Amino acid sequence: MRISKPAKWILATITALILTVIYLPLAVVFINSFNTSINMDWPPPSFTFMWWERAAQSTGLIDALITSLIVAAAATVIALVLGTLLAMALSRYKFFGRNAVSLMIILPIALPGIVTGIALNNAFRTLLGFQLSMATLIIAHATFCIVTVYNNALARLNRMGKSMEEASADLGAGVFTTFRLVTLPQMLSALVAGGLLAFGLSFDEIIVTTFTAGGGTETLPIWILNNMFRPGKAPIVDVVAVFMVIVSIIPIYFAQRLTANESKN
Amino acid sequence: MVNAVGKAEVERPSLAHRISTTLYSKPKLRLRLLLSAPVTWLGLVYIAALLALLVTAFFTVDSFTGEIKPGFSLQNFTDLFTNSLYSTVTLRTIGIALGVTIVDVLIALPIAFYMAKIASPRTRGILLISILMPLWASYLVKAYAWRSVLSNVGIAAWLLRPIGLDTPGYSLLGAGITLGYLWLPYVILPIYASLEKVPSNLLEASSDLGAKTFTTLRKVVFPLILPGIVAGSIFSFSLTLGDYITINIVGGASQMLGNLVYGNVGVANNLPMAAAIALVPVVIMFGYLTAVRKTGALDNL
C-alpha cells in the first residue's frame, strides 16, 4: 500500500491538531490560575500570583488536602497488603475458582464508577447501618485500588518464576524467611510502582467518593466540586486543579519509570 | 550439618519456626491463608454490595416515612419503563454514548494510523507519551478545564466569535465534546495497538496485487483492526453511560442516567429506585459486551 505525500501530510496535520486540542484545556486552566480576572475572562487582562497565595492560606483547602492524603495513604496500604496476597495466591497456585477471584479483583474498576459507588453506599448505610465517614471512604478506595497493586505484583511474580523460592526452600529457609529474603526484595519495585498508581488513583477519584464519603469528609476533588459553581471561586479552583494534576502526575511518573526500567533489564 | 541438627534437638523450635514448618508441608493451607483476607474483603465489601444492590432494586420506599420497605416489587422497573422522564433520559444517555463513541473512533483512526504506520520510531514514542500523559491528569480537573474553555468569556468564544460561530456553552453538545475529550486516549490506544500488529508486508502484498490504497484500508486493514476499534468503543461507551459529573459541570440543566441515580440517592432518598436505574447501564453494557464478544475485542482490553 502506498501512502502519497499529501496523504501523509494530512495525517500529520490531523495528529498535530488533535494533540493541540488534547493539551489546550489543561493549558487554559494553568494560565487561568494566574489570570487577574475573577471571571476567568479570555484572553487574561493581566497576570498575578494572588490566587496561589490565597489558596496556600485557605484552611478549608489545606484540610481537604490532608484528608485526601490520609485517605490515599490508608487505601494504598490496604491495597498493597491485599493485592500482594492475591498476586501470590494466583501466581503460585492453580485452584478451583481462580477465574472467579481474578474477575472479582477487576470488577470494582471495570463497572461504571456510579454502580460501584451506589452499591457501596447502599451496603454501608442500609445493610451495615454505618454512618458514612472517612473510614467508609477508605474502604471504598482500597477496594478499587487493589487491582493496580495486584496487576504489578502478578506480572513481577510471573516473570520471577519459582526457581529462586524453591532454591531457598531447598537450602532450608522457612516460608517466612523465603518471603522476607527472596520474594519480597525481588517484588519490591513492582510493589512500589503499584502502590504509587493506587495512591494516584485514590487521590483523583471523585465518583465513588461522592457516594461513600461522609458529610464532614472533604477530599480535594470534593472541594473542587463544591467550589466550582460558587461565584468568585473559579480562580482558586484553577490553582487547586493545577496542583492536583502535578500531585497525581508525580507518583505515576515514578511508577512508570520503575516499570520501564524493568522491561529494559 | 551434624551440629546444626544436634542444636535443633536441644533447643525447642520457636513458634514461628513450627508455623513455618507446618505451612511448608501444607500448600493448601498456605493458599487458604493467602486468599482468606483479600477474598473476605472483596466478597464482603464488594460482591455482597453488588448483590444487595440487585436485591434493593426490588424494594420500595414508604412515601410517608421515607423508610425502605423490603419485599419483592416490580414497581421501580414499571416506573423505569412507563415514566417518560426515565425513558427520555435513558435514550438520551445511550444517544450521547453512541455519538461520543463514533466521533472518538473517527478521530482516533487517523492519529493511530499516523502513529503506527507513518511516524518514525522516535516520533512514535513521543506521540505515545503525549497521548498517555493527559490520562494521568484527574478526570475532574479535565472536565473542569472544559468548563473554562466553553465559558461565555472563555477561549472557545474568543476563538470562534471572530469567524461568526460561538461556544456551544454549557449544553448537551458541550457535555458531548467534553466526554469525547475525556475518553479519546482510551479509544486511541487499543486502535493503535491493533494497527501496530498489522504487518506492513501485508499492505505491500495488497498493493502488489493491484488494490488501491482505499481498497487496502477497507479490505485488509479494517478487518484486522476491528477488535481494537471495538475494544476502544467499549471504554468510551461504558464510561459515558455511567457518567454524571461531566454533565453537571458542562451540561447545563440536562440530565443523564447518572444524575437520576445520584438524585435518588441524595435528594429524593429513594435508594431502591436509584438501584433500579443503576442497573440500566449495567444491563446495556452486558448486552453490548455479548454483542461484540464474537469480534475477539474482549481479549484486547
Side-chain angles (χ1 to χ4, degrees), chain A residues 1-2 11 15 18-19 22-23 25 29 41-43 85-86 93 108 114 116 122 143 174-175 204 210 221 234 238 248, chain B residues 20 30 34 38 41 46 56 107 118 127 130 133-134 138 140 144-146 153 155 158 181 203 207 213 244 258 271:
Chain A
M1 181 173 76
R2 282 199 56 237
L11 283 170
T15 305
I18 294 166
L19 276 178
I22 286 179
Y23 281 93
V29 170
D41 288 333
W42 193 272
L85 289 171
L86 282 167
Y93 301 90
I114 196 158
T116 301
N122 178 32
T143 305
V175 176
D204 276 351
T210 55
D238 280 308
S248 50
Chain B
S20 172
R30 245 166 33 223
L34 280 176
W41 181 288
Y46 197 63
T56 309
I107 295 175
I118 299 176
L127 286 173
S130 314
M133 273 265 280
S138 156
L140 178 67
Y144 171 73
W146 275 94
V153 292
I155 190 169
W158 178 71
Y181 171 83
L203 308 184
S207 81
T213 306
Y244 80 97
L271 210 54

Side-chain angles (χ1 to χ4, degrees), chain B residues 162-185:
Chain B
I163 53 169
L165 298 167
D166 200 359
T167 164
Y170 306 144
S171 59
L172 270 188
L173 180 61
I177 293 172
T178 308
L179 289 166
Y181 171 83
L182 286 169
W183 319 138
L184 184 61

Side-chain angles (χ1 to χ4, degrees), chain B residues 35-96:
Chain B
L35 281 175
S36 58
V39 168
T40 310
W41 181 288
L42 283 169
L44 274 189
V45 175
Y46 197 63
I47 303 301
L50 280 181
L51 292 176
L53 184 71
L54 191 68
V55 174
T56 309
F58 296 97
F59 291 177
T60 48
V61 162
D62 191 306
S63 49
F64 290 108
T65 60
E67 270 177 29
I68 293 172
K69 288 192 295 188
F72 182 83
S73 154
L74 289 173
Q75 189 57 45
N76 295 325
F77 294 96
T78 324
D79 282 354
L80 205 56
F81 287 109
T82 51
N83 187 327
S84 64
L85 170 72
Y86 295 128
S87 48
T88 313
V89 173
T90 304
L91 286 177
R92 179 190 298 151
T93 308
I94 295 175
I96 295 175

Side-chain angles (χ1 to χ4, degrees), chain A residues 62-104:
Chain A
I62 290 165
D63 287 346
L65 171 64
I66 293 170
T67 306
S68 275
L69 291 175
I70 294 173
V71 170
T76 303
V77 169
I78 298 172
L80 273 171
V81 174
L82 299 179
T84 309
L85 289 171
L86 282 167
M88 287 177 59
L90 273 84
S91 70
R92 295 292 183 254
Y93 301 90
K94 296 251 176 291
F95 56 92
F96 177 74
R98 198 163 169 271
N99 287 335
V101 172
S102 68
L103 179 71
M104 206 155 91

Side-chain angles (χ1 to χ4, degrees), chain A residues 259-265:
Chain A
T259 37
N261 284 343
E262 173 183 310
S263 47
K264 270 181 217 154
N265 291 343

Side-chain angles (χ1 to χ4, degrees), chain B residues 1-2 33 60 95 125 133 141 147 165 167 177 198 202 230 240 270 284:
Chain B
M1 209 50 205
V2 176
L33 284 175
T60 48
M133 273 265 280
V141 168
R147 190 175 165 83
L165 298 167
T167 164
I177 293 172
V198 176
L202 213 61
V230 174
T240 307
N270 188 343
I284 297 173

